[in-house]
Amino acid sequence: GAVVSQHPSWVICKSGTSVKIECRSLDFQATTMFWYRQFPKQSLMLMATSNEGSKATYEQGVEKDKFLINHASLTLSTLTVTSAHPEDSSFYICSARTLADSYNEQFFGPGTRLTVL
Amino acid sequence: DAKTTQPTSMDCAEGRAANLPCNHSTISGNEYVYWYRQIHSQGPQYIIHGLKNNETNEMASLIITEDRKSSTLILPHATLRDTAVYYCIVREGYGQNFVFGPGTRLSVLP
């Protein structure tokens, strides 16, 4: 089955630093990747949608200069949280979809837990 | 906004069937019903999806009412490992992302 990985699985950083999270589709080519954020005891909230080779589309209220998304290849998307602050601490989840996906599924990664001190 | 309503939480005895309802009264003709679940601190896991016919796979069964305004996910023999938040999502076509509501927190009890 389609597998999506994320790295790192968890990260702790100091306030003001930047953190990069990688999302990889391991056995398929992901034309579209999605980034979600989940705060404790809340549901997943879509942050942005990225298509390979083009700029990401951000949801309302998500700062594109703070959450930099790069989808440079069909198997890799990265999310960089710039100048992270404690309020950015959250569970970040990516998902991927392929043109070959005849069932319209999205395959989700295992998530990355970010803690900003 | 999510287009579905689900109970906040449910309990189920281990070994019994877990029936999770979902209302999607505004579903349109080309929208599919998807079910995902999220075990604590993990990414969502796909369970099943359907358009109008009932569906079954190795994980669960999906029963969709004839008017498509509601559906039920059935885990035939729930185990402790099925304890998770279950999300019912409706999505149109290929170009849409998934909008997650609060889901149902299922607790399987020994």
Side-chain angles (χ1 to χ4, degrees):
Chain A
V3 178
V4 175
S5 70
Q6 285 184 238
H7 178 80
S9 54
W10 58 271
V11 57
I12 301 173
C13 70
K14 293 182 179 180
S15 185
T17 61
S18 294
V19 175
K20 180 183 284 188
I21 302 170
E22 293 185 349
C23 176
R24 294 182 184 272
S25 56
L26 298 185
D27 50 2
F28 68 100
Q29 293 184 325
T31 50
T32 304
M33 285 186 169
F34 304 87
W35 286 95
Y36 294 82
R37 179 168 55 183
Q38 185 176 34
F39 292 109
K41 298 191 177 182
Q42 294 186 24
S43 190
L44 285 77
M45 296 297 295
L46 180 67
M47 299 176 66
T49 302
S50 72
N51 292 298
E52 186 265 336
S54 61
K55 290 185 178 180
T57 302
Y58 291 80
E59 295 298 302
Q60 191 172 9
V62 178
E63 302 174 58
K64 61 180 180 181
D65 293 332
K66 181 171 183 61
F67 298 98
L68 302 179
I69 292 172
N70 184 283
H71 190 170
S73 79
L74 287 172
T75 59
L76 174 65
S77 176
T78 61
L79 168 68
T80 301
V81 183
T82 62
S83 186
H85 291 285
E87 58 265 30
D88 298 322
S89 297
S90 189
F91 193 49
Y92 292 87
I93 304 168
C94 73
S95 70
R97 190 179 66 199
T98 175
L99 279 175
D101 175 13
S102 61
Y103 294 102
N104 295 325
E105 295 171 38
Q106 269 181 238
F107 305 100
F108 286 83
T112 296
R113 185 162 302 282
L114 170 63
T115 301
V116 184
L117 303 177
Chain B
D1 292 338
K3 303 176 184 179
T4 63
T5 55
Q6 300 175 250
T8 303
S9 63
M10 293 181 64
D11 291 340
C12 176
E14 186 179 18
R16 303 296 294 270
N19 298 293
L20 291 90
C22 179
N23 287 322
H24 30 79
S25 58
T26 61
I27 192 171
S28 63
N30 55 354
E31 285 183 317
Y32 288 77
V33 180
Y34 288 80
W35 283 85
Y36 280 78
R37 72 179 182 184
Q38 187 178 25
I39 296 170
H40 183 62
S41 293
Q42 297 182 23
Q45 177 189 22
Y46 167 81
I47 301 173
I48 200 167
H49 77 283
L51 182 62
K52 54 184 178 181
N53 297 323
N54 297 337
E55 302 288 343
T56 296
N57 63 20
E58 64 278 5
M59 289 183 68
S61 295
L62 174 61
I63 308 298
I64 303 174
T65 58
E66 192 169 343
D67 62 7
R68 300 186 71 237
K69 293 185 177 182
S70 66
S71 61
T72 300
L73 177 74
I74 301 172
L75 308 178
H77 306 286
T79 71
L80 299 179
R81 288 176 295 181
D82 292 322
T83 292
V85 178
Y86 286 77
Y87 298 100
C88 169
I89 304 167
V90 296
R91 192 185 76 166
E92 174 184 337
Y94 179 76
Q96 303 289 318
N97 63 68
F98 285 100
V99 178
F100 286 82
T104 295
R105 184 172 298 276
L106 175 68
S107 299
V108 181
L109 307 175

